[in-house]
Amino acid sequence: ELRGFGRARNTWNVTERGRIARDTWDITQASYADCVPVTAPTLMVYSVATTVEINPDTVVFDVDWMTSRRVVYMDGRGHPEDGELTLQGHSIGHWEGETLMVDTVQFAEHSEGITLGFPSSSRKHTMERFSLAGDGRHMNYEVVVEDPDYLAEPVIFTAQLEYQPDLEPTRLACDMETARRYLTDE
């Protein structure tokens, strides 16, 4: 569950920079107040509709959170050496049996790039596993997150995502005034 991962940040072995960031964050610093969506891993477990399109050369995750989109390249390419840093990073993947393995680097710095209330640097690296559960109605998600600027050691998070074919994406754009209206530190 997303909330559990956010609370777990208090148990992580973090760097001094990570400790300061964690201990001084408050809700008014939330990235969504500026219409900036969260990134993986939080994006992948956010409580919104996500569609997954599996193509021969890509897997595309369209997440109904501020029109977030992740493209995982499945054509055997590596990460570009001096690739552009982007909000969702550069993802390459491969199949291990029926499990999708995704390696992502080149993330832009983000005020909540590891989880809500915990930032990430451009050195963040995620390794994700997506596998269909035995009942065919759930997907198991596991991610290992490394970021030597904020984490003294990698953190691991697991979740189970539910298949809900009747849930329709809204595709609503973020409105800055609305986004800031509900910020409170209470």
Side-chain angles (χ1 to χ4, degrees):
E1 174 178 319
L2 175 66
R3 292 178 190 267
F5 187 56
R7 282 191 301 269
R9 69 181 183 268
N10 296 324
T11 66
W12 297 339
N13 187 4
V14 299
T15 64
E16 181 63 14
R17 186 175 174 189
R19 185 195 62 73
I20 292 168
R22 178 189 61 204
D23 294 350
T24 60
W25 184 86
D26 68 68
I27 192 70
T28 62
Q29 296 170 320
S31 63
Y32 51 83
D34 294 319
C35 290
V36 176
V38 293
T39 66
T42 304
L43 180 68
M44 302 315 298
V45 297
Y46 217 76
S47 298
V48 296
T50 298
T51 58
V52 182
E53 181 182 322
I54 300 173
N55 304 300
D57 292 340
T58 60
V59 173
V60 179
F61 294 91
D62 277 312
V63 183
D64 198 27
W65 176 246
M66 298 185 204
T67 61
S68 299
R69 181 174 231 229
R70 290 184 66 198
V71 176
V72 180
Y73 296 99
M74 303 291 289
D75 56 6
R77 73 179 72 187
H79 296 297
E81 275 192 41
D82 292 318
E84 178 185 356
L85 302 179
T86 64
L87 193 61
Q88 300 305 334
H90 183 269
S91 298
I92 56 175
H94 66 275
W95 294 100
E96 288 186 7
E98 294 186 5
T99 299
L100 173 62
M101 307 293 291
V102 179
D103 177 0
T104 307
V105 297
Q106 298 170 340
F107 287 98
E109 290 188 10
H110 192 287
S111 64
E112 296 175 288
I114 296 177
T115 189
L116 301 178
F118 201 88
S120 65
S121 73
S122 61
R123 298 196 307 160
K124 178 174 113 175
H125 175 220
T126 62
M127 290 293 298
E128 299 163 290
R129 297 171 54 95
F130 299 86
S131 58
L132 193 60
D135 66 3
R137 296 201 48 82
H138 294 87
M139 183 167 45
N140 296 318
Y141 175 69
E142 178 181 297
V143 61
V144 177
V145 183
E146 299 173 310
D147 188 331
D149 290 352
Y150 291 99
L151 299 170
E153 62 187 29
V155 296
I156 299 171
F157 172 65
T158 60
Q160 193 171 68
L161 310 175
E162 186 174 348
Y163 176 61
Q164 295 182 325
D166 297 334
L167 190 60
E168 291 289 327
T170 64
R171 292 181 173 63
L172 292 175
C174 183
D175 172 66
M176 190 83 71
E177 182 181 336
T178 303
R180 292 183 176 180
R181 185 178 307 157
Y182 298 101
L183 288 180
T184 177
D185 59 2
E186 294 175 5

